[in-house]
Amino acid sequence: VYTRSESMIKKFLFVLVIMLVSAGSRAQEKIIQSDIKFQIKNAGITVNGRFEKFEGGIIMDPAHPENAKAVLKVPVSSINTGIAIRDKHLKGEDYFDEKKYPFLTFESDRFEASTGWYHVYGTLTIKGNSGRIKIPFQIKKKGSESIY
């Protein structure tokens, strides 16, 4: 039987869409726009939301993804589902418990390349519970920018 926190990690869909500006060497790039979106069950319905802020980033040379690194620290206070009373509930003890656990964190330990896709593997920690996740992403060029 899972606790609510363990169940939440298993159901939490962590989608990371990052637009990055290309640097000359492509070894390190600057994030100019990002979205961290999620789905969670609340009152028996599936709720879509997002986190408006995060700290950290990604260092990646697409030619050598095995050397890449991603670290994110996401403040629970930045949760936004479009309904303030629901956001307050999600920040409470039943879900993210912002007072005790003010941040969600992700740290990569491996990147892989496959046909047209990359995958980042790492540890997502929510409410002191850690779980392994894999995030698939693509890199597309838009002028001098790379969209991850």
Side-chain angles (χ1 to χ4, degrees), residues 11 13 38-49 81 86 90:
K11 292 178 182 177
L13 300 176
F38 66 89
Q39 286 186 332
I40 195 167
K41 288 269 186 188
N42 180 251
I45 60 170
T46 300
V47 174
N48 292 310
T81 64
R86 180 171 50 210
L90 292 174

Side-chain angles (χ1 to χ4, degrees), residues 7-60:
S7 181
M8 179 172 51
I9 287 177
K10 294 193 182 304
K11 292 178 182 177
F12 192 85
L13 300 176
F14 200 82
V15 181
L16 178 61
V17 180
I18 303 176
M19 290 180 68
L20 302 167
V21 175
S22 288
S25 69
R26 303 230 24 188
Q28 184 170 359
E29 302 193 11
K30 178 184 169 190
I31 297 171
I32 59 170
Q33 180 179 344
S34 69
D35 287 310
I36 299 176
K37 299 178 182 179
F38 66 89
Q39 286 186 332
I40 195 167
K41 288 269 186 188
N42 180 251
I45 60 170
T46 300
V47 174
N48 292 310
R50 60 184 287 166
F51 290 94
E52 302 283 334
K53 299 177 183 176
F54 75 89
E55 300 170 17
I58 184 171
I59 297 173
M60 181 179 176

Side-chain angles (χ1 to χ4, degrees), residues 72-84:
L72 298 171
K73 186 175 178 182
V74 183
V76 172
S77 63
S78 71
I79 198 167
N80 183 354
T81 64
I83 299 175

Side-chain angles (χ1 to χ4, degrees), residues 1 73 99 119 122-123:
V1 176
K73 186 175 178 182
K99 289 181 182 175
H119 296 91
T123 302

Side-chain angles (χ1 to χ4, degrees), residues 63-75:
H64 298 284
E66 68 279 4
N67 298 326
K69 185 72 176 168
V71 178
L72 298 171
K73 186 175 178 182
V74 183

